[in-house]
Amino acid sequence: MSDFKKAWVYLENGMFFEARSFGANKTAIGEIVFNTSLTGYQEILTDPSYAGQFICFSMPEIGIVGTNPQDIESSSIFAKGILVRHYNEKYSNFRSNKSLQEFLISHDTMGIFGLDTRLLTKTLRTQGAMMMIASTEYSTKEKLKELLSQSPRIEEIDYVKVVSTKETYSHKEGRFSFKTMDYTLPQTKKKILAIDFGIKKSILRELVNAGFSVEVIPHNFNAQAIITAYQAKAFDGIFLSNGPGDPKVLKTQIIELQKLISHNIPIFAICLGHQLLALAQGYETYKLKFGHHGGNHPIQNLHTKKIEITAQNHIYSVPEDIAKIATITHRNLFDGTIEGLLYKNTPICSFQHHPEAGPGPLESSALFNEFSKLLQKTK
């Protein structure tokens, strides 16, 4: 075994732990949430929606398959770190090229193991997500409490401007093929603008797979420029991506979205994009107690009555009274919250869950094709 340094963890409810570090040795502050996925820790780590958060894995064994170049969802790790029960130094997978420890250190991200993650998960379910501090530098409860009290809360920070692309770019590759060990290059028939609030690569690949050529633009978009381009037939629709933090922080983007909505442009949104659409139309989002994070969450399609197992990563939700302007198409079977909306009299649909999964089941991936069909109707 490696000589792992000691690490200390303090939660704002007063819980204090001594553990071990297998990632970057430093001090970091963020919000702690738990994730129930059994696999896919690398995709979860590199999902920009986790910016500013510590991820507590309920799966006790982490690190077994190492890491690889294909399962990276963004340019970096934006999460503050991960908390696990057991870290496995020895890894084995035909695609892996480095250990999880090496991957974390290369991205200056904390990894803490030796914690009772079952206790942490039960605590978060009971008391809700909360702020925490982890450190390999400070060992006393009093010092950690002091540092945590001086730090801004996650809902006060705009993490979208950190994770979003700074330059416009085109994305052309589809899903990864294990037969060719390369990405597919499907034919595309429609062009879509993807507004990047923290977009995942697997989302872009699913859009390409559904027949879209994709141009990704930064979060600080100009609505009038987009409207002018749409009227000139430069593209066919807009995609609003997932992303981190409280959607209410993005005041400028909400105003710009109001302008896009008023011009009847086809829009497909997931996760943070789903929440921003609600806010842009005057419906207040609210914070869930501990959120939905994992690859095993059941939802029901209210039209077909079918149940789908989905990937989820959010802690905010849209209100029930949005049914005044939108048809509720999907509901979460854990707590009944809204998972899908089809807006009335407009070519706009939005979903709270992740139809691209990454990691998780692809039972909801048909939503990408459904948006393609919606575009056909609005030609």
Side-chain angles (χ1 to χ4, degrees):
M1 289 284 287
S2 297
D3 184 20
F4 296 110
K5 289 189 67 172
K6 285 185 178 181
W8 295 269
V9 173
Y10 176 79
L11 276 60
E12 66 175 311
N13 68 350
M15 294 178 76
F16 178 67
F17 303 89
E18 180 180 302
R20 295 283 176 174
S21 167
F22 70 99
N25 292 314
K26 57 191 291 190
T27 300
I29 295 172
E31 180 180 58
I32 176 174
V33 297
F34 67 87
N35 185 293
T36 58
S37 292
L38 299 180
T39 61
Y41 55 76
Q42 188 179 358
E43 295 99 314
I44 292 164
L45 255 177
T46 53
D47 179 350
S49 297
Y50 281 110
Q53 293 178 319
F54 281 94
I55 308 161
C56 173
F57 284 102
S58 61
M59 171 64 178
E61 303 293 338
I62 299 293
I64 298 170
V65 295
T67 61
N68 64 75
Q70 289 81 40
D71 291 342
I72 297 173
E73 289 288 351
S74 64
S75 61
S76 187
I77 298 176
F78 297 102
K80 293 290 185 175
I82 58 174
L83 310 175
V84 307
R85 181 72 181 104
H86 297 129
Y87 168 61
N88 293 267
E89 269 192 286
K90 294 183 178 179
Y91 62 93
S92 177
N93 184 273
F94 73 101
R95 293 190 298 150
S96 60
N97 66 346
K98 64 174 64 173
S99 69
L100 177 56
Q101 180 179 24
E102 292 170 323
F103 187 71
L104 288 171
I105 291 172
S106 69
H107 289 281
D108 193 32
T109 304
M110 297 194 78
I112 309 293
F113 77 100
L115 292 158
D116 186 344
T117 51
R118 182 177 177 83
L119 172 62
L120 281 171
T121 299
K122 291 172 71 174
T123 299
L124 296 174
R125 283 186 59 192
T126 303
Q127 300 181 28
M130 63 186 78
M131 296 295 289
M132 63 155 278
I133 180 171
S135 180
T136 58
E137 302 166 313
Y138 304 103
S139 61
T140 67
K141 181 177 180 179
E142 292 71 27
K143 181 61 177 179
L144 295 176
K145 181 179 180 179
E146 177 191 349
L147 292 172
L148 182 60
S149 68
Q150 295 170 354
S151 176
R153 301 187 66 82
I154 190 169
E155 55 265 27
E156 299 169 358
I157 304 171
D158 181 1
Y159 278 109
V160 168
K161 67 182 180 182
V162 177
V163 303
S164 178
T165 182
K166 304 300 184 287
E167 303 288 340
T168 297
Y169 66 94
S170 295
H171 181 90
K172 298 179 180 179
E173 66 188 24
R175 291 178 186 168
F176 185 78
S177 168
F178 286 99
K179 185 176 290 186
T180 63
M181 292 304 291
D182 203 354
Y183 296 98
T184 58
L185 295 171
Q187 288 188 334
T188 55
K189 299 176 182 178
K190 295 282 185 179
K191 184 174 181 179
I192 197 167
L193 285 187
I195 300 176
D196 178 11
F197 300 118
I199 203 163
K200 294 168 61 182
K201 290 181 180 178
S202 57
I203 291 174
L204 296 172
R205 292 172 188 140
E206 288 298 322
L207 287 168
V208 172
N209 242 65
F212 298 110
S213 63
V214 185
E215 184 173 306
V216 186
I217 64 174
H219 73 289
N220 54 345
F221 63 95
N222 179 276
Q224 188 53 57
I226 291 176
I227 292 164
T228 301
Y230 178 71
Q231 291 171 340
K233 302 186 185 303
F235 67 93
D236 302 287
I238 294 172
F239 177 78
L240 307 179
S241 84
N242 61 301
D246 188 339
K248 292 179 184 177
V249 171
L250 305 176
K251 300 183 187 302
T252 301
Q253 287 83 351
I254 291 168
I255 293 170
E256 294 299 294
L257 280 176
Q258 289 171 344
K259 299 173 187 176
L260 296 181
I261 292 167
S262 68
H263 280 75
N264 219 38
I265 301 173
I267 299 175
F268 174 28
I270 68 165
C271 206
L272 180 62
H274 166 78
Q275 298 156 15
L276 288 171
L277 278 178
L279 287 166
Q281 297 181 85
Y283 291 85
E284 291 284 305
T285 53
Y286 63 97
K287 191 169 187 176
L288 298 168
K289 189 172 184 179
F290 49 82
H292 302 153
H293 309 277
N296 48 10
H297 292 241
I299 67 166
Q300 185 172 37
N301 182 319
L302 300 182
H303 175 65
T304 65
K305 304 303 179 184
K306 289 184 178 180
I307 295 171
E308 301 168 7
I309 305 302
T310 66
Q312 307 253 348
N313 181 19
H314 65 101
I315 201 165
Y316 293 90
S317 189
V318 301
E320 288 294 323
D321 62 346
I322 201 167
K324 295 174 184 175
I325 63 167
T327 300
I328 299 172
T329 60
H330 299 74
R331 279 200 182 275
N332 188 293
L333 294 182
F334 280 156
D335 59 10
T337 51
I338 294 171
E339 290 283 349
L341 295 170
L342 182 61
Y343 283 84
K344 300 173 182 178
N345 306 314
T346 58
I348 298 175
C349 57
S350 68
F351 304 94
Q352 186 59 78
H353 54 289
H354 280 251
E356 87 293 343
L362 290 169
E363 294 181 20
S364 295
S365 61
L367 293 177
F368 294 97
N369 291 320
E370 290 298 317
F371 185 61
S372 181
K373 292 176 185 177
L374 181 64
L375 285 185
Q376 297 294 335
K377 294 177 183 178
T378 58
K379 284 179 65 175

